[in-house]
Amino acid sequence: MFSDPEKVIGQMFVAEGMTVADFGAGAGFYALRLAKKVGPYGRVFAVDAHPDYLRKIKNEAVRAGHEQVEVIQGDLEAPKGSGLVSASVDRVIISNVLFQADKPELIVKEAKRVLKHDGKIAVVDWSDSFSHIGPHPDHVITLDEAKSLFEESGLRFECYLDAGSHHYGMMYVHDASPQQGFF
């Protein structure tokens, strides 16, 4: 089995009333499931560059009664490209996006910018190219490369996620604790 959004979301510690951003929302597999987790008082921002995907997500959200789902056309590799306010989101999911990016470090930077202190980022991406279903082998961002991207941006590794076959998953936290050594 490939990446399972239900399984990943179950490991993200999403609670009712939270605000969550789905970076590179695509067909909305995460955004629509996250709407159920955050409930009517939470919010889900589905951010993608493609208006056709966003229209599909919005239509499905309306059909399902998920008024808490908002769609945003954005460029995650541009400064403030998600259109979200700084420090406004409890969780960010970045699933199967890094391998498509020209500058994945900018996506990580944008995710960190919108994340509340002590917020968490879940990243899921292809660990290999599987029978031409996944990305071209040259485009795969390895687990170690992804770890470097997130850790170099100042995010703290929290845990690995079970992301299904041919994928890796990790959780990072925006650590708001003060620097050691200051009194």
Side-chain angles (χ1 to χ4, degrees):
M1 172 168 215
F2 290 102
S3 182
D4 180 356
E6 289 286 344
K7 183 183 275 189
V8 172
I9 290 169
Q11 299 170 79
M12 288 176 59
F13 309 105
V14 175
E16 199 164 314
M18 281 187 168
T19 300
V20 182
D22 182 358
F23 274 22
F29 296 124
Y30 281 93
L32 297 168
R33 286 167 175 86
L34 285 164
K36 294 176 189 174
K37 291 291 275 187
V38 301
Y41 301 108
R43 293 175 86 181
V44 176
F45 295 105
V47 183
D48 203 282
H50 303 285
D52 291 341
Y53 284 141
L54 296 173
R55 242 185 322 279
K56 179 185 182 300
I57 293 169
K58 191 62 177 176
N59 289 340
E60 287 188 35
V62 167
R63 256 193 306 277
H66 296 312
E67 296 174 16
Q68 66 274 44
V69 175
E70 296 183 36
V71 297
I72 300 171
Q73 186 173 356
D75 178 356
L76 297 171
E77 293 180 74
K80 299 185 180 182
S82 70
L84 297 172
V85 175
S86 296
S88 63
V89 175
D90 297 294
R91 301 284 184 272
V92 176
I93 176 76
I94 305 171
S95 179
N96 293 330
V97 173
L98 297 179
F99 79 89
Q100 300 178 59
D102 292 327
K103 297 181 180 175
E105 67 277 4
L106 297 179
I107 296 171
V108 175
K109 183 177 179 180
E110 179 64 2
K112 182 180 178 187
R113 183 189 69 79
V114 303
L115 202 62
K116 292 178 182 176
H117 294 296
D118 295 328
K120 298 175 189 287
I121 299 173
V123 59
V124 173
D125 221 302
W126 289 89
S127 59
D128 58 22
S129 183
F130 176 72
S131 297
H132 305 291
I133 293 173
H136 186 279
D138 293 343
H139 295 149
V140 171
I141 303 285
T142 68
L143 174 69
D144 288 339
E145 291 169 333
K147 284 182 87 167
S148 291
L149 285 171
F150 284 85
E151 291 168 9
E152 287 170 8
S153 75
L155 293 158
R156 182 174 49 82
F157 176 81
E158 185 170 82
C159 63
Y160 289 104
L161 304 174
D162 180 358
S165 62
H166 306 286
H167 287 80
Y168 57 81
M170 298 179 286
M171 184 84 80
Y172 282 86
V173 65
H174 188 298
D175 194 357
S177 62
Q179 296 290 323
Q180 297 294 325
F182 289 88
F183 298 98

